[in-house]
Amino acid sequence: MAIIGILKEHESDSRVVALPEIVSQLIKSGFELQVETGAGARAFASDADYTAAGAKISDRNSILSKADAVLKINPLSIEDAGKMKQGAVLTAILQPFFNHDLVKKLAAGKITSFSLETIPRTTRAQSMDVLSSQATVAGYKAVLVAASNSAKFFPMFMTAAGSITPSKVLILGAGVAGLQAIATARKLGSVVEAFDTRSAVKEEVMSLGAKFVEVEGAKDEKSAGGYAVEQSDEFKQKQRQKIHDHAVKADVIITTAQIPGRKAPILITKEMVEGMKAGSVIVDLASSTGGNCELTKNDETVVHNGVSIIGNSNLPSTVPSDASKMFGKNVLNFMKLMLKDGAINLNFEDDLVKGTCLTHNGEIVNEKVKEIINK
Ligand code: NAD
């Protein structure tokens, strides 16, 4: 019977890759589950809950040395990667474009690793897409963080103490996080505008009750599989002017624009921040890849001329139960592609298994990663 190991995340992440309900489903499919002591504690799943679901509680080193498959949210440390069994499977968000040494270590240790954030964006993959599920959480929470840090109400109020106009919220990037942010900001009664280089999202933005800010001439790369691409300098100049005009009127800006494998584009310059009203708030969801605001500092709040720029890059961790629940369901759906009758059965004919695989049999198999690492 193959062993699946669930590891605890680092101190600043409260999520767990699989809650007891997911563990129980894996056990029912014929696997032995070993869970690291305290793995789910900060997501309110105790060791006793895992034991009741049928798992064994164990320490990290023991799990790493015995597990045939290791599941995690964040990348494994290089040291831990070296403790895994040769030929074992690792599934996590591995950020291979930023963690070259880890990729090399996994290849050298003959670990078959799957980098969940690189799953092809096909219809079949939607239920396995951890970026989407966690972006949903981040988009929702970004609005709540903005509202609690703003100097103004979000909704309009007509009271005996006078009328209050609603907050103006500008959302930059209308992907999964941006659309969720629009929906949440609308539910709180604010007036919402959104901008994205992909004009395909215009209808979705409008159907959520927001105005779509249009900039002509964006490169909308169909071959990028739903992901954004780098824009021309001329477009960036036009976009900067348009965003400037809307940013200085906004009470809240939420930025979500990312380009996979690259630094996030700067959409809010220092000059734009200086044109904003004191008491306004920017929540930058792209802070871990450099930020969409020139003044963003990852995992810090910077106050510039009275404008708060919040660069908390791990908002999903602040909703640990539901974020873990969604992450676990994604991982379970992905693992189902390779778990059969209590054994791990890798089928590289499957486009999702092949497309997500990073290292296998001593080789880096993701061509883009291989090219960058071997440069
Ligand atoms: P993302 O997190 O990579 O980027 C967020 C948004 O920022 C995107 O909409 C992008 O177009 C936008 N952006 C990038 N550069 C920008 C710039 N310079 N200015 C303004 N906006 C910019 O994207 P995401 O939210 O993960 O998903 C993007 C799209 O892919 C969505 O339409 C989503 O529905 C689709 N998707 C499909 C699947 C699937 O079919 N399995 C899964 C996930 C997402």
Side-chain angles (χ1 to χ4, degrees):
M1 190 192 290
I3 299 175
I4 300 178
I6 307 289
L7 296 186
K8 188 175 171 178
E9 301 303 318
H10 52 70
E11 282 311 308
S12 52
D13 197 328
S14 299
R15 296 169 295 170
V16 61
V17 67
L19 287 168
E21 63 212 50
I22 298 293
V23 160
S24 146
Q25 288 188 52
L26 287 165
I27 292 169
K28 278 191 199 121
S29 328
F31 295 88
E32 178 180 326
L33 265 286
Q34 296 198 1
V35 178
E36 185 177 349
T37 311
R42 285 168 296 152
F44 305 98
S46 66
D47 288 352
D49 295 333
Y50 282 105
T51 308
K56 286 187 183 150
I57 303 298
S58 192
D59 64 90
R60 176 174 286 234
N61 284 343
S62 161
I63 294 174
L64 285 166
S65 66
K66 287 190 198 137
D68 300 290
V70 169
L71 309 183
K72 205 168 173 298
I73 296 178
N74 295 290
L76 208 57
S77 69
I78 294 175
E79 196 193 342
D80 283 347
K83 293 178 186 164
M84 282 183 70
K85 249 183 18 182
Q86 222 185 60
V89 168
L90 169 67
T91 303
I93 293 179
L94 295 168
Q95 296 175 336
F97 295 104
F98 303 103
N99 294 322
H100 296 183
D101 289 343
L102 174 62
V103 179
K104 287 183 202 161
K105 186 81 182 176
L106 292 169
K110 297 208 166 145
I111 304 301
T112 301
S113 60
F114 293 96
S115 198
L116 283 172
E117 76 279 26
T118 62
I119 196 162
R121 295 203 136 174
T122 59
T123 306
R124 192 165 70 97
Q126 272 177 357
S127 66
M128 309 165 199
D129 195 316
V130 295
L131 288 187
S132 292
S133 70
Q134 304 306 292
T136 300
V137 183
Y140 156 82
K141 196 62 192 272
V143 173
L144 301 189
V145 168
S148 67
N149 282 278
S150 169
K152 276 178 62 60
F153 279 127
F154 260 45
M156 180 177 80
F157 276 113
M158 308 247 291
T159 76
S163 300
I164 305 283
T165 52
S167 280
K168 287 198 177 92
V169 178
L170 175 63
I171 315 273
L172 300 179
V176 179
L179 291 171
Q180 190 54 239
I182 294 172
T184 309
R186 288 286 301 140
K187 281 178 207 155
L188 284 181
S190 60
V191 173
V192 186
E193 294 183 324
F195 167 72
D196 198 295
T197 44
R198 295 179 307 118
S199 53
V201 293
K202 181 178 174 178
E203 270 178 39
E204 269 177 285
V205 165
M206 287 169 52
S207 73
L208 289 170
K211 190 178 151 206
F212 189 65
V213 177
E214 250 169 310
V215 181
E216 307 278 294
K219 198 169 21 161
D220 196 355
E221 191 52 81
K222 301 278 182 294
S223 62
Y227 289 103
V229 290
E230 186 81 21
Q231 298 292 329
S232 70
D233 286 344
E234 191 198 342
F235 177 83
K236 282 188 197 161
Q237 183 52 40
K238 268 205 272 184
Q239 169 185 301
R240 215 166 283 139
Q241 187 53 49
K242 194 87 176 212
I243 291 175
H244 178 277
D245 298 346
H246 289 260
V248 295
K249 291 182 202 145
D251 301 298
V252 165
I253 303 180
I254 292 169
T255 70
T256 74
Q258 311 222 43
I259 303 173
R262 308 182 72 142
K263 199 176 166 300
I266 295 288
L267 303 175
I268 303 286
T269 59
K270 181 167 175 257
E271 189 200 342
M272 290 184 204
V273 175
E274 285 169 356
M276 289 175 72
K277 286 168 279 189
S280 305
V281 180
I282 299 172
V283 179
D284 192 339
L285 291 185
S287 59
S288 69
T289 51
N292 293 138
C293 174
E294 205 178 337
L295 301 174
T296 297
K297 287 213 172 99
N298 191 28
D299 285 331
E300 283 184 33
T301 295
V302 175
V303 182
H304 187 81
N305 279 6
V307 178
S308 303
I309 303 143
I310 301 170
N312 185 339
S313 59
N314 200 5
L315 288 177
S317 164
T318 67
V319 191
S321 294
D322 282 340
S324 302
K325 189 172 182 169
M326 294 165 94
F327 202 106
K329 189 75 184 170
N330 293 146
V331 170
L332 177 68
N333 288 333
F334 179 70
M335 293 306 287
K336 277 182 184 164
L337 301 175
M338 62 182 86
L339 301 181
K340 217 171 176 192
D341 305 327
I344 294 165
N345 180 1
L346 298 169
N347 171 16
F348 288 102
E349 302 281 294
D350 188 307
D351 61 323
L352 301 183
V353 173
K354 186 164 182 272
T356 314
C357 191
L358 178 61
T359 58
H360 178 59
N361 221 359
E363 302 280 338
I364 302 172
V365 294
N366 178 314
E367 289 303 327
K368 273 195 203 147
V369 174
K370 189 158 133 186
E371 204 181 297
I372 290 173
I373 291 188
N374 291 339
K375 229 189 224 170

